Amino acid sequence: MGRLFLVNLEGKSYSCKHCKTNLALYDDVVSKSFQSRHGKAYLFSKVVNVYAGKEEDRMMMTGLHTVVDIYCVKCGSYVGWRYEFAFEKNQKYKEGKSVLERYKVWGPDGNNYWVAQEVEAGESDTDDA
Amino acid sequence: MENGLWELLGSKGLLKRHEFIRILVQCLYSLGFKKSASCLEHESNILYKSADFGLLEKQVLSGNWDSCLAVLDRIFDSSSDHTRDTALYLVLKQCLVEYLKQGDISLALNVLRKQAPLLGMGKEKIHRLACDIVYTKEMESGEADSFLVQDLRKNLLVELEKLIPLPIVIGERRLEHLVESAVLHQIDTCLYHNSWDAVSLYKDHCCGRDQIPSETVQILMAHKNEVWFVQFSNSGKYLATASSDCTAMIWKLQVLDDNKVELKHTLESHQNPVSFVSWSPDDTKLLTCGNAEVLKLWDVETGVLRHTFGNNNTGFTVSSCAWFPDSARLVCGSSDPERGIVMWDTDGNEIKAWRGTRIPKVVDLAVTPDGESMITVFSDKEIRILHLETKVERVISEEQPITSLSVSSDGKFFIVNLSSQEIHLWDLAGEWKQPLKFSGHRQSKYVIRSCFGGLDSSFIASGSEDSQVYLWNLKNAKPLEVLSGHSMTVNCVSWNPRNPRMLASASDDQTIRIWGPGKPNKPEKWLDNQKMQ
C-alpha cells in the first residue's frame, strides 16, 4: 500500500518480532516495570514506525487513561499502546509516551522474551515512580 | 484659478476633486487627445500646467534669465536645498552658455560674480560652474544658431520639470500608475490566479476554480499494481510513471487530440518495484530506480534500456537520482547507509563520489536547475545543501522525519514532506530562519510526494493517504482545493511545467488521473473565496 516510509534507528534498538522493523532505541527506555496482558512491558519516550488505532478510555491499575493501541507499520502486528491522556495528576508524565510489550519485540542483543505464565486478565500498568 | 479646492470625492472622502481632474487632464494629453484635454481644462477651470510652471516655461523659452531666476527662487522657497541648488545650477549654466556664445563676456562675468552669490551659491560651486562651461561641448561649436538655442532651452525645461516639487509639477502618467497599483493589489489577493492574460478593468479581479486543475479529465489504467511515482517531462509533452509492478511507463500527450495522454513505452527490466524516475533536462533520457532497486538509464524515443549502473556492484540500490543541466551527468543517492552519493556520466563512468560514515541513507536528492547546488535529504531529518563549486554546505535539521523533496522550477525554493503531516517550504538562499508551513493532508505511514506548480510556481500540490489530492496557494497555509476521485492513497503528483492547468496524480488504486480546469465557482464557493481575502 504505497511506499512505506521506514525510519532507521542507529544503536541498540528494539525491533518488531515478526518483520524486524526498528521500533525504539534502548536509550529511550523510561521504565522497565510495566505490565501488560502478556507480561513485561517497557515505557519508551519515543517509538518510530508505528501507526495508531482508535482512541479508547481504559481503566488501568493506576487509574483511568485515554490510550491508543499501536501497530507496526510494516506488518501490522500489535506491539503496544500509547498514552494520550491521563486522568490522574500523578500519571500525567505518561502522556505522549508509548509502551512496547516485551513479548512483541526483539531486544537489542537479540534477546527474546517468552510468556512465562498466565497473567491476570484485564489491562495492567504500574510504575508509580 | 483652481476651482472647488476643498471638494472631496470617493466613498470615504479621501480624494481631492481638483487633483482628480488634473490627473484626468494629464491622462488625456498623454493619450494624445489634445482637444478633449483642453476642453476639459476649460470646462473645469483646472489647468494641467500650473500657473507657476507656465510662467517659468515662458521665461526659459524666451531667455529672460533674470525673471526666470526670480520665479525659481519663489518656487523653491519651501523645498529642500538640494533640488533648488541643482535647478539654479542648470539655469545659470544655460544662461552663461548663451551669453558666451553671443560674445557677451561682461554679462557672463556679471552672472558669476554678482548674481550667483546673491542666489546663495557657494564659491566652490561657482568655480565648478565656470569649469563646466569651459569644457561643455556646446562651447566648441562656435556661433550658435537660434534652433540650437531653442533646443537647449527645451532640454533645460525637461530637466527642470524633474526637479520642481509637487504640486507645481506632477509625475507623468499618474492615473495609469494608480490604476495599475489597484490591479496589482487585486491580483495579489486572488488565490486562484494562474494566467498572465490581461485583467479586465470592468470588475474587481478575482479568479475562480476554472483557472486551476480541479476536475478529472482522464484516467490512465495500465499499471498492474500501485503507482508510486509520476512526473511530466520538462517540455510538458510526456509523462513518466513508476509502479510496484516493477515497470515504468512513458506516456505522450496528443496535442492534436485535446492533450489526451497515450501510452508510448513500457519499460520492463527491473526485478523490484520502481519508486522514482527522473527526466534528463533535454527530455531524451529517463532514469529509473527503486528503494530496493538499482539505477537504470533508458532512451525516451525508443524505450530501449541504455545502461544499468553499478553493474559490478550488485546491490547498489538507489533511492533517488537527479540530472545536471548538460543532460550528460547525473547523480544518485544510495538507499543503504554509507554507500553514499555517486556522480556518473551517461556511459556509466563514475565521475565523483561522496562516501563514508558521514553519509547516512539518502532519502531523497535533487539538483537545482542551474546545476550549482545539490540538495540531499538524509535519514531522516537532515537536509544538506551543497554548493558544488565552493563546496560550502548548509544544514537544515527538521524536527520530524522527511519523506520527500521537490525543487521549484526557478531553483529558488524547495519543499519537503514531513511524516508529521506538514509540508515545509524553504528558500535556497538561506535567508529564512523558519520555513513556510502547509498542512491539511494526511500522511503518517507512507512516502507522500508533493510538487510546485502553476504560474510562477505559486501553487503546491500534494498526495495524501486519504486518497485525495491537495492544492495550496503559497499565500495560505490551508488547502485551496481538495480533489477527490482516487479510491486509495495518492502517492505522488506532478504539475505540467508548460501547462499551468494540467496536473497528474498517481495512486495505490493502480491508476493515474489527469486533472484539468474546473467549472467556475458555485455562488457559495465564491462567497467563501471573498471571505478568505
Side-chain angles (χ1 to χ4, degrees), chain B residues 279-316:
Chain B
W279 289 93
S280 65
D282 61 4
D283 290 339
T284 57
K285 301 183 262 282
L286 190 73
L287 284 170
T288 58
C289 57
N291 217 23
E293 253 297 333
V294 293
L295 181 67
K296 290 184 190 274
L297 176 71
W298 308 78
D299 181 74
V300 171
E301 191 50 45
T302 59
V304 167
L305 173 64
R306 282 247 167 277
H307 191 77
T308 304
F309 290 85
N311 244 333
N312 47 0
N313 186 8
T314 49
F316 181 63

Side-chain angles (χ1 to χ4, degrees), chain B residues 6-25:
Chain B
W6 300 112
E7 272 183 53
L8 298 169
L9 294 175
S11 59
K12 298 244 180 8
L14 288 171
L15 312 171
K16 296 185 190 141
R17 185 176 177 274
H18 73 278
E19 284 190 356
F20 196 75
I21 295 174
R22 195 169 162 203
I23 57 174
L24 275 178
V25 174

Side-chain angles (χ1 to χ4, degrees), chain B residues 446-471:
Chain B
Y446 304 119
V447 174
I448 301 289
R449 307 191 73 92
S450 54
C451 68
F452 284 93
L455 184 72
D456 288 343
S457 296
S458 40
F459 298 96
I460 290 178
S462 173
S464 169
E465 283 171 20
D466 62 7
S467 59
Q468 292 171 114
V469 176
Y470 283 76
L471 303 180

